[in-house]
Amino acid sequence: MIDLPSWLQPDTPYLLGFSGGRDSVALLHHLTSSGFKNIIACHLNHQLRGEESARDERFVRRLETPFEIGQCDVSSYANEHSLSLETAARQCRHEFFERCASKYGTSLVLLAHHADDQAETLLFNLLRGSNGLKGMKEKTPIGKLTFLRPLLNVRRAEINDYIEQHDLAYCEDSSNQDNFATRNRFRHEVMPLLNDILDRDPVPALLRAAEQENPLKNVLEDFKLLDPQERLFLPTLRGLPEAIQKEALYRFLKKEEVSEISCDLINRSLTLLTPDGPPSVNLPGGLRLRRKESRLFISQ
Amino acid sequence: MIDLPSWLQPDTPYLLGFSGGRDSVALLHHLTSSGFKNIIACHLNHQLRGEESARDERFVRRLETPFEIGQCDVSSYANEHSLSLETAARQCRHEFFERCASKYGTSLVLLAHHADDQAETLLFNLLRGSNGLKGMKEKTPIGKLTFLRPLLNVRRAEINDYIEQHDLAYCEDSSNQDNFATRNRFRHEVMPLLNDILDRDPVPALLRAAEQENPLKNVLEDFKLLDPQERLFLPTLRGLPEAIQKEALYRFLKKEEVSEISCDLINRSLTLLTPDGPPSVNLPGGLRLRRKESRLFISQ
């Protein structure tokens, strides 16, 4: 039995990213049999695997529930735009979902990523150097779309059980392709090795570690650091310990979509807090963080 | 060339945990040849490996710098006290270091753990379920002793180079024993596999992720939350956002050495902040967290 999160609404229309693999097949089946009436299975044929891609598309065309199929020559797209296959595939899928969103009047896209995908992602990102345990979010707004992952707490084994219990047909997962080799090796080599060495399943420990809420996540709101124009209000900021001032500056720059927020940039921004410090600090992209009338804000 | 941290003082007397393996041999040699004059190499014969243990002890006895040798039948000790060999070994070493500390009049114990040990520890603790990236600290006070790890930023390869350059003799590392199999498999199987899959060294990313300073580490001091009797002062605590109140309660309970601080305990402790909430909350071990005169403190 797969639990669905309470924020999923049976009458809301959703797009569903549908590869035809186990995970998306289980999610689609579970939703439609739980009374969800407006699910559109959206399948993009990446044209990366010849006959196998065509086979997957035929599988989708035989669905008894609504579907939408797109075609994209991901390989050519990657060459034209000098992108890796993985990045090209992601961009093509995004554009496809945007077309589906316009056609069906919903910006909500369900994805079937599950708890084991999440654990693999956490470990992969950690080791790739993303400064901590960064995983997938249940809700991710990107551009006009919002991606939703209702299965993030469901284990792969539960999905496999569900597929067996309901005797569902599915396509072999396309992520078994060479271009996803790194992620695949985490699944098929690293996780089983860790399980063997530790003599226990490493997934729950990883998920629990990542779930630790950052207590300073809402530092700007919690300490009422923004004025009505969303500028940083210095008299309040000055009353906080330095470690928290730094976190607030980081969150502020992030909110303002400053790219590449380095420790050095935070330290330089901190000098704006002293009244006789410099009146502005250079930011990447020709912008400046300025102090004026006891407020910090970004301008040219 | 191995860099030593600036907090090491050539004239201070130090004990040095000396297994006779590469790492402790390199540390001892580097210190003595850098002008450190008061280093006592402290070797505990664990008596776990028969002739090999005796061989290591003979190796230490041939040192030209001061040393201290202890004997402990760790296996019998483990049986008598129903401990794992690893825990028993740690306790025996601790008692040995305490005897050395009394004899030589210093409580400072240098350990030769290096950056690769640290990365393996971080990953091991994460996957074992210690809620995040918990590694070894440069300075760890335990009881009357303070353990110091001056090589935490030095890579294993740098130590191996040092050993080669100075043509130093050493004993095979005793951690290659069966009872340390789990840690060993991280070193010999997990780390090389990750290196191969990611096509890069995973150690720097792990170390960097763990180094991220927690900005609420000193929340009790930073927000002046303690009164002169080290009790939590509620009027100040009440003025902070709830996420920070929780972190402060966690740090307070930890400072008071409460064991097993669960999320549930933090949430129950939080109810003490409302003036008409309960006046106390049960803690593990028959203790209570009490509210009195706008302060929280622990008592029977």
Side-chain angles (χ1 to χ4, degrees):
Chain A
M1 188 52 208
I2 293 175
D3 276 334
L4 291 173
S6 57
W7 47 259
L8 276 181
Q9 301 294 332
D11 296 322
T12 304
Y14 294 106
L15 309 174
L16 191 158
F18 192 81
S19 69
R22 285 168 177 265
D23 307 336
S24 56
V25 162
L27 179 57
L28 177 62
H29 183 271
H30 190 37
L31 288 171
T32 51
S33 55
S34 302
F36 284 70
K37 295 181 187 67
N38 290 299
I39 310 284
I40 319 292
C42 300
H43 177 84
L44 181 68
N45 183 337
H46 292 58
Q47 297 177 15
L48 286 171
R49 293 172 294 128
E51 172 47 30
E52 211 180 292
S53 294
R55 178 205 70 183
D56 293 356
E57 184 179 324
R58 286 196 300 276
F59 174 81
V60 180
R61 291 195 183 279
R62 287 195 297 269
L63 284 176
E64 292 171 7
T65 50
F67 61 83
E68 185 70 27
I69 288 175
Q71 302 271 351
C72 185
D73 182 347
V74 171
S75 177
S76 304
Y77 185 96
N79 282 334
E80 273 165 39
H81 298 82
S82 303
L83 298 170
S84 70
L85 271 184
E86 202 170 340
T87 305
R90 192 170 52 241
Q91 288 191 6
C92 291
R93 279 197 301 274
H94 196 93
E95 287 170 18
F96 169 58
F97 287 136
E98 282 188 335
R99 290 194 299 277
C100 297
S102 298
K103 178 167 173 183
Y104 293 96
T106 174
S107 61
L108 304 174
V109 187
L110 301 173
L111 299 175
H113 295 120
H114 51 66
D116 293 68
D117 289 331
Q118 177 74 314
E120 289 151 21
T121 301
L122 288 165
L123 199 54
F124 177 68
N125 284 343
L126 170 68
L127 296 165
R128 208 174 46 163
S130 59
N131 260 351
L133 291 164
K134 307 279 193 299
M136 297 177 279
K137 305 250 182 298
E138 229 174 16
K139 307 185 184 188
T140 318
I142 301 183
K144 295 172 198 158
L145 303 172
T146 298
F147 293 95
L148 303 168
R149 295 182 178 87
L151 301 184
L152 271 192
N153 294 313
V154 177
R155 296 297 304 265
R156 176 179 288 132
E158 296 176 274
I159 290 174
N160 289 346
D161 286 352
Y162 186 92
I163 292 279
E164 266 196 40
Q165 276 163 25
H166 297 83
D167 197 19
L168 302 179
Y170 59 89
C171 309
E172 273 307 315
D173 199 312
S174 62
S175 69
N176 288 314
Q177 282 303 103
D178 281 350
N179 51 318
F180 297 107
T182 305
R183 291 303 302 275
N184 244 8
R185 293 189 64 188
F186 266 78
R187 177 177 309 171
H188 295 299
E189 297 177 48
V190 178
M191 302 306 278
L193 175 63
L194 293 172
N195 203 329
D196 181 48
I197 294 178
L198 297 162
D199 198 21
R200 74 163 83 169
D201 180 5
V203 172
L206 273 167
L207 299 179
R208 217 168 38 241
E211 258 170 23
Q212 282 197 300
E213 214 28 316
N214 179 349
L216 290 176
K217 199 179 55 170
N218 303 313
V219 66
L220 298 176
E221 296 80 16
D222 283 346
F223 284 103
K224 302 186 174 56
L225 291 170
L226 299 175
D227 73 3
Q229 288 78 44
E230 302 257 296
R231 299 174 299 183
L232 256 183
F233 187 60
L234 289 183
T236 313
L237 187 60
R238 288 194 186 112
L240 296 175
E242 184 178 298
I244 305 206
Q245 292 172 342
K246 285 184 177 182
E247 189 71 17
L249 286 166
Y250 172 78
R251 300 270 161 189
F252 180 73
L253 294 173
K254 205 163 164 184
K255 179 178 87 63
E256 298 284 329
E257 297 182 354
V258 171
S259 59
E260 300 165 52
I261 309 173
S262 65
C263 287
D264 176 57
L265 174 57
I266 298 294
N267 285 328
R268 284 185 291 122
S269 304
L270 203 57
T271 64
L272 299 176
L273 270 66
T274 24
D276 52 355
S280 75
V281 148
N282 286 333
L283 299 175
L287 295 172
R288 277 162 174 274
L289 179 63
R290 287 184 191 277
R291 183 188 64 219
K292 203 172 167 185
E293 292 164 5
S294 274
R295 275 128 178 119
L296 291 191
F297 56 95
I298 289 174
S299 73
Q300 298 276 315
Chain B
M1 188 52 209
I2 293 175
D3 274 335
L4 292 172
S6 56
W7 47 258
L8 276 181
Q9 300 293 332
D11 296 322
T12 304
Y14 295 105
L15 309 174
L16 190 158
F18 192 80
S19 68
R22 283 169 179 265
D23 307 336
S24 55
V25 162
L27 179 57
L28 177 62
H29 184 271
H30 189 38
L31 289 171
T32 49
S33 55
S34 303
F36 284 70
K37 295 182 187 66
N38 291 299
I39 310 285
I40 318 292
C42 300
H43 177 83
L44 181 67
N45 183 338
H46 291 60
Q47 298 177 17
L48 286 171
R49 292 172 296 130
E51 171 49 29
E52 211 180 293
S53 295
R55 177 206 68 184
D56 292 356
E57 182 178 325
R58 285 195 301 275
F59 174 81
V60 180
R61 291 194 184 280
R62 286 194 297 269
L63 284 176
E64 291 172 7
T65 51
F67 60 84
E68 186 70 27
I69 287 174
Q71 302 272 350
C72 184
D73 183 347
V74 171
S75 177
S76 306
Y77 185 95
N79 283 334
E80 272 166 38
H81 297 83
S82 303
L83 298 170
S84 70
L85 272 184
E86 203 170 340
T87 306
R90 193 169 50 240
Q91 289 191 5
C92 291
R93 278 197 301 274
H94 196 93
E95 287 169 19
F96 168 60
F97 287 135
E98 283 188 334
R99 290 195 299 278
C100 296
S102 299
K103 179 167 172 185
Y104 294 96
T106 175
S107 60
L108 305 174
V109 186
L110 301 173
L111 300 175
H113 295 120
H114 51 65
D116 294 68
D117 290 332
Q118 176 75 314
E120 288 150 23
T121 301
L122 288 165
L123 199 54
F124 177 67
N125 285 343
L126 170 68
L127 296 166
R128 208 175 47 166
S130 59
N131 259 353
L133 291 165
K134 307 278 194 301
M136 298 178 278
K137 304 249 182 303
E138 229 175 15
K139 306 187 185 188
T140 318
I142 301 182
K144 295 173 199 156
L145 303 172
T146 298
F147 292 95
L148 303 168
R149 296 181 177 87
L151 301 184
L152 271 192
N153 294 313
V154 178
R155 295 297 305 264
R156 177 178 287 131
E158 296 177 275
I159 290 174
N160 290 346
D161 285 352
Y162 186 93
I163 292 278
E164 267 196 38
Q165 276 162 24
H166 297 82
D167 196 20
L168 302 179
Y170 60 88
C171 310
E172 273 310 313
D173 199 311
S174 60
S175 69
N176 289 313
Q177 283 304 103
D178 282 348
N179 51 319
F180 296 106
T182 305
R183 291 304 303 275
N184 245 7
R185 294 189 64 188
F186 266 78
R187 176 178 310 171
H188 295 299
E189 297 178 48
V190 178
M191 302 306 279
L193 175 63
L194 293 172
N195 203 329
D196 181 47
I197 293 178
L198 298 163
D199 198 20
R200 76 163 84 167
D201 180 5
V203 171
L206 274 167
L207 299 179
R208 216 167 40 239
E211 259 171 25
Q212 282 196 300
E213 209 34 311
N214 179 348
L216 291 175
K217 199 179 57 169
N218 301 314
V219 66
L220 299 176
E221 297 79 16
D222 282 347
F223 284 103
K224 302 186 175 58
L225 290 169
L226 300 175
D227 74 2
Q229 288 78 44
E230 302 257 297
R231 300 174 299 182
L232 255 184
F233 187 60
L234 289 184
T236 313
L237 187 60
R238 287 193 186 113
L240 295 176
E242 186 177 296
I244 305 209
Q245 290 173 342
K246 285 184 176 182
E247 188 73 17
L249 286 165
Y250 172 79
R251 299 273 160 187
F252 180 73
L253 294 173
K254 204 162 165 189
K255 179 179 85 66
E256 297 285 329
E257 295 180 355
V258 172
S259 59
E260 299 166 53
I261 308 171
S262 63
C263 286
D264 176 58
L265 174 57
I266 298 294
N267 285 327
R268 284 186 291 121
S269 304
L270 203 58
T271 64
L272 299 176
L273 270 65
T274 26
D276 52 354
S280 75
V281 148
N282 287 334
L283 299 175
L287 295 172
R288 279 162 173 274
L289 179 63
R290 288 184 190 277
R291 183 188 63 219
K292 203 173 167 183
E293 292 165 2
S294 274
R295 275 127 178 120
L296 292 189
F297 55 94
I298 290 173
S299 74
Q300 298 277 313

